[in-house]
Amino acid sequence: MNALYARPRSVASLLMAAPLTWLVVVYLGSLALLLVSAFWTYSAATDTIDTTPSLVNFGEIIASSTFRTIALRTMGMAALVTLTTAIIAFPIAYYMARVASHRVRGLLVVAILLPLWASYVVKVYAWRIILSEQGILNWSLEPLGVSGPGYGDVALWLVFTYLWLPYMILPIYAGLERIPTGLLEASSDLGARGRQTFRRIILPLAFPAVVAGSIFTFSLTLGDYIAPSLITSTQFLGNVIFSQLGAAGDLPLAAALGTIPVVLMIIYLLAARRLGAFEAL
Amino acid sequence: MDRRSRTRRAWALLPAIALLATACAGGGATQAPTRVPTTDAPASGPASEGPASQEPASEAPASEAPASEEPASEGPASDEPASVAPSSDGSLPSGMPAEVGEGEGEVRILAWPGYVEDGSTDPEVDWVTEFEGATGCEVSFDVFGTSDEAFNLFKDGDYDVISASGDASGRLYEGGYVAPVNVDLVPNYADVVDALKDQPYNTFGGVHYGIPHGRGANLLMWRTDVVDPAPDSWTAVFDPESPYAGQVTAYDAAIYIADAAVVLMTTQPELGITDPYALDEAQFAAAVDLARQQRPLISEYWSDYTREMASFANQDSVIGTTWQIIVNLLQAEDPPVPVEAIKPVEGSTGWSDTWMVRADAAHPNCAYMWLDYVVSPQTQASIAEWFGEAPANIAACDLTADPEHCDIFHADDDAYWEDVYYWTTPSVECLDGRGPICKGFDEWLNAWTEIKG
């Protein structure tokens, strides 16, 4: 004990050993395995995996118009969901951070966090019931002479927007809350109108928070397969990865497909950095 | 400086949110857990004290199972390794036990929903408890929705027994995952109808690899309050002008392409399709085209039968492929969902299932006890009525609650089954003997991904 006491560094490394092992072995290790296995090949005829590195899987993905369409559709959905959640989340976050009283703010935070405590699958199934032909949405729209979207991509867009909204609200809220009131007062003292202050002071300062939120909504949409499989019959990246693993047993092709979201996210993060989103760090 | 540290604190929130995100996603990804019956009644059967007396043959390592030691040829199953064929001196093929020893106290089963019922679905429907009481083999089981799911679960899991349809059994045999079955150790095998014995999906190279379970046809179901007039042909779900566009459903598996091929056998006889699982280039392209043309009509594909039930109950789907058990369950709901189902004029795809034993099963004795129990007349009667299919064991027909059951399901009516095409794994070597010009199952899978878009 005393020996350790004299060596604070040893203590630190001992304490860090377990979480670091977890991070390296479980987190990065599995990611590395994913990348490596993407270069293997699977033979359906013999049901075996050949571990000689090759680019066959990537060639197959690029050559296949189906995979291309699915990748683009997934990306489009992720972008659309990100945009929608940002548009909905910003006013809510702004109200919470700048307008609401302490009490209301607390209630709103709880209201936003509360759905996160419910099981994800329960929420998706709830949406299935809402959106179904005889569901509450069609029932309430009936007097207006219109009907809901039914199951499909539009419905999925609604569900994703609902599911990921808290992940957008919370970072924006945190970002807005930390803008010093002094800056806004100074802006006003110097003659800026409300709109001008918003555009030139608040928005630039809150932008990194929006990007932070968008990283969540974008990546969560890219990777999800349960909501698409329950809400729509069209396929998204997660679904084809699942069917390559589940039905075809083609682990290498699934791994190669799995690298698409990883690559997309890297491009996304680089673009975000170019936009100056990380300069505040 | 102030701004920097503030923003940094804002960013510090992120890991916490990220954790939340992963936690939520992780919870969602959890698949159906293993259902272990809660009956913890002490086994009244022979308790397995001491090591179970096993024949050396049954302890043969999995690697001796046929086909696993050499790449499976693309040819038909005729070029078997000679070692599995029963030799003339009467010795058994490797991996085949000569007798059933004492039970191991446990058996793990992978089955279609409705084949293994322990009263958890419906307290009245239970044939597992009796088996557990009689043999002392505690049953744990999982269910699956498609043969593809079954194949992969069985491949990687530690199940002893599987109820495999023809589009899984061939693959399981080719991969060396199942052991040859000594039918002499399954006394009830004697009562199985002849039409189901020695079929290409349960017997390979003259060696039995399983016990026939029963058979049924995939039916066309519709809501009687919406669909009028009542359909009698599969074209009702393929017609681009269908008034029910957007409310059609179909089975979500590559094997569904065969359903399109069955329709083509009638509508385009010039294609010359004789077996919907043996499709050459032109025939396959036509079937895929038909399935693709159906795509816009589909409300949603189904493989989970509870979801198909919800779909019909809510009118999200009003017409499409079904199993008899789904019809029965929907009609039994309160209030009943108005549905009816038929085998359309073109005939239909269907299933003829086989109980198979894992090559390196941990509980081979209990597995054989299950095999014999599940094809016993009483169990067959219970399953056939619950699931809505024709029992393999003809003696079950005297025991069904509805005395007409076997007539309704044509248990011994060979003419009825003439236009039911049992699910079979498509292979490059045409199943109808035309040579290596057919589309293999991996191409079916790719085409299915492409059809769904």
Side-chain angles (χ1 to χ4, degrees):
Chain A
M1 209 48 220
N2 283 339
L4 279 178
Y5 191 69
R7 293 180 184 79
R9 270 178 178 279
S10 310
V11 176
S13 34
L14 276 175
L15 284 173
M16 286 302 290
L20 267 182
T21 315
W22 176 266
L23 181 76
V24 171
V25 176
V26 178
Y27 229 79
L28 298 177
S30 54
L31 201 62
L33 197 64
L34 172 84
L35 285 175
V36 171
S37 57
F39 292 95
W40 297 346
T41 41
Y42 169 79
S43 158
T46 56
D47 189 35
T48 49
I49 288 171
D50 179 5
T51 53
T52 339
S54 83
L55 290 168
V56 173
N57 296 319
F58 294 98
E60 193 178 323
I61 292 169
I62 292 165
S64 153
S65 64
T66 315
F67 287 145
R68 269 205 314 270
T69 315
I70 291 170
L72 284 175
R73 177 188 299 140
T74 312
M75 229 160 50
M77 178 63 80
L80 197 63
V81 168
T82 301
L83 196 69
T84 329
T85 47
I87 291 171
I88 299 174
F90 203 94
I92 299 175
Y94 188 83
Y95 178 77
M96 283 165 63
R98 294 267 146 214
V99 184
S101 69
H102 223 76
R103 209 179 122 76
V104 173
R105 180 187 303 175
L107 285 174
L108 278 174
V109 169
V110 171
I112 287 159
L113 286 178
L114 212 57
L116 292 180
W117 299 350
S119 159
Y120 163 95
V121 177
V122 170
K123 286 184 281 185
V124 178
Y125 262 102
W127 271 98
R128 264 186 74 85
I129 296 167
I130 293 171
L131 293 163
S132 88
E133 198 68 23
Q134 298 187 330
I136 189 162
L137 186 68
N138 278 349
W139 174 78
S140 54
L141 288 177
E142 208 178 7
L144 307 171
V146 281
S147 69
Y151 300 144
D153 291 354
V154 178
L156 186 63
W157 168 59
L158 281 176
V159 173
F160 272 142
T161 303
Y162 163 80
L163 284 174
W164 310 144
L165 189 61
Y167 301 102
M168 186 61 104
I169 294 181
L170 290 178
I172 299 182
Y173 164 66
L176 285 171
E177 202 196 16
R178 277 159 221 288
I179 298 175
T181 325
L183 284 179
L184 307 185
E185 283 165 358
S187 167
S188 159
D189 285 351
L190 293 169
R193 292 168 184 283
R195 178 177 299 213
Q196 217 172 354
T197 305
F198 177 80
R199 205 161 47 82
R200 303 195 47 183
I201 310 289
I202 296 176
L203 210 54
L205 287 178
F207 189 66
V210 177
V211 174
S214 79
I215 291 169
F216 289 124
T217 54
F218 195 79
S219 63
L220 286 168
T221 312
L222 276 188
D224 198 76
Y225 82 94
I226 298 167
S229 66
L230 287 175
I231 298 294
T232 175
S233 275
T234 49
Q235 300 179 102
F236 288 78
L237 273 177
N239 304 113
V240 280
I241 293 172
F242 179 73
S243 69
Q244 285 305 327
L245 269 180
D250 192 342
L251 175 92
L253 183 58
L257 285 165
T259 57
I260 298 178
V262 176
V263 171
L264 285 177
M265 273 321 286
I266 290 172
I267 296 172
Y268 190 80
L269 291 174
L270 287 176
R273 203 180 72 168
R274 254 191 111 81
L275 283 170
F278 298 113
E279 270 168 23
L281 281 171
Chain B
M1 276 316 283
D2 190 28
R3 198 189 112 193
R4 275 177 69 93
S5 68
R6 275 161 197 274
T7 328
R8 185 171 295 169
R9 254 181 286 151
W11 281 90
L13 251 181
L14 296 187
I17 302 170
L19 261 180
L20 264 175
T22 29
C24 292
T30 311
Q31 290 288 306
T34 309
R35 290 163 61 190
V36 182
T38 47
T39 46
D40 47 7
S44 60
S48 54
E49 299 153 10
S53 62
Q54 282 188 355
E55 284 308 299
S58 68
E59 285 175 356
S63 58
E64 281 180 24
S68 65
E69 57 212 32
E70 52 169 6
S73 62
E74 297 204 328
S78 60
D79 52 354
E80 290 310 302
S83 62
V84 297
S87 45
S88 50
D89 60 7
S91 70
L92 293 163
S94 71
M96 192 188 267
E99 65 172 26
V100 178
E102 269 187 59
E104 296 88 351
E106 188 186 350
V107 62
R108 295 180 46 75
I109 302 171
L110 183 64
W112 286 103
Y115 282 10
V116 183
E117 291 291 345
D118 59 3
S120 54
T121 311
D122 180 336
E124 300 285 306
V125 180
D126 178 3
W127 47 88
V128 164
T129 310
E130 186 195 322
F131 171 76
E132 289 177 327
T135 63
C137 300
E138 187 101 347
V139 173
S140 59
F141 66 97
D142 289 318
V143 297
F144 53 82
T146 65
S147 287
D148 307 322
E149 200 185 333
F151 176 72
N152 284 292
L153 280 173
F154 193 76
K155 194 169 81 169
D156 301 327
D158 55 351
Y159 302 99
D160 301 307
V161 183
I162 180 176
S163 70
S165 293
D167 53 337
S169 62
R171 275 184 279 169
L172 288 168
Y173 162 72
E174 290 280 345
Y177 299 110
V178 285
V181 169
N182 188 346
V183 293
D184 295 338
L185 301 181
V186 182
N188 283 310
Y189 182 73
D191 292 327
V192 169
V193 289
D194 285 337
L196 294 178
K197 286 180 178 171
D198 304 317
Q199 294 302 305
Y201 45 82
N202 59 28
T203 305
F204 302 95
V207 179
H208 298 292
Y209 273 81
I211 304 295
H213 166 84
R215 52 184 167 174
N218 293 314
L219 304 176
L220 175 63
M221 176 165 75
W222 68 94
R223 271 189 76 118
T224 51
D225 57 343
V226 179
V227 177
D228 185 64
D232 67 345
S233 157
W234 284 116
T235 50
V237 295
F238 286 101
D239 177 10
E241 307 296 320
S242 167
Y244 314 110
Q247 288 180 298
V248 174
T249 189
Y251 189 54
D252 188 0
I255 208 73
Y256 184 73
I257 295 171
D259 288 54
V262 168
V263 175
L264 292 175
M265 287 166 79
T266 307
T267 57
Q268 293 186 40
E270 66 276 12
L271 282 167
I273 300 174
T274 55
D275 177 341
Y277 306 100
L279 303 177
D280 63 27
E281 191 85 45
Q283 296 165 341
F284 188 69
V288 169
D289 268 349
L290 188 59
R292 195 184 290 130
Q293 178 195 310
Q294 185 195 34
R295 181 67 188 84
L297 309 177
I298 298 286
S299 61
E300 57 177 357
Y301 292 101
W302 70 275
S303 62
D304 173 350
Y305 77 107
T306 55
R307 251 175 74 195
E308 152 132 304
M309 285 175 58
S311 258
F312 269 85
N314 293 326
Q315 287 191 30
D316 291 312
S317 304
V318 299
I319 188 167
T321 322
T322 196
W323 299 331
Q324 185 67 44
I325 187 176
I326 298 172
V327 184
N328 296 356
L329 288 170
L330 282 172
Q331 289 173 344
E333 284 203 355
D334 184 31
V337 179
V339 291
E340 251 181 68
I342 51 152
K343 184 183 84 171
V345 290
E346 294 91 352
S348 184
T349 57
W351 67 89
S352 173
D353 294 345
T354 306
W355 287 99
M356 303 179 106
V357 179
R358 192 182 186 78
D360 54 351
H363 314 102
N365 295 328
C366 276
Y368 267 84
M369 291 176 197
W370 174 260
L371 251 50
D372 191 46
Y373 178 77
V374 83
V375 291
S376 68
Q378 186 55 58
T379 317
Q380 282 268 299
S382 306
I383 298 178
E385 285 207 291
W386 170 247
F387 194 85
E389 62 183 355
N393 188 332
I394 208 71
C397 294
D398 301 329
L399 300 170
T400 48
D402 176 359
E404 308 277 286
H405 181 87
C406 279
D407 294 335
I408 297 169
F409 286 93
H410 311 272
D412 203 14
D413 173 7
D414 288 344
Y416 175 84
W417 300 102
E418 260 167 28
D419 61 355
V420 175
Y421 307 92
Y422 304 129
W423 280 336
T424 316
T425 315
S427 65
V428 175
E429 185 71 37
C430 293
L431 299 159
D432 56 4
R434 283 182 295 164
I437 55 164
C438 285
K439 293 289 186 180
F441 191 57
D442 50 330
E443 296 199 59
W444 282 56
L445 283 169
N446 289 342
W448 186 243
T449 305
E450 186 242 335
I451 288 164
K452 286 176 71 188

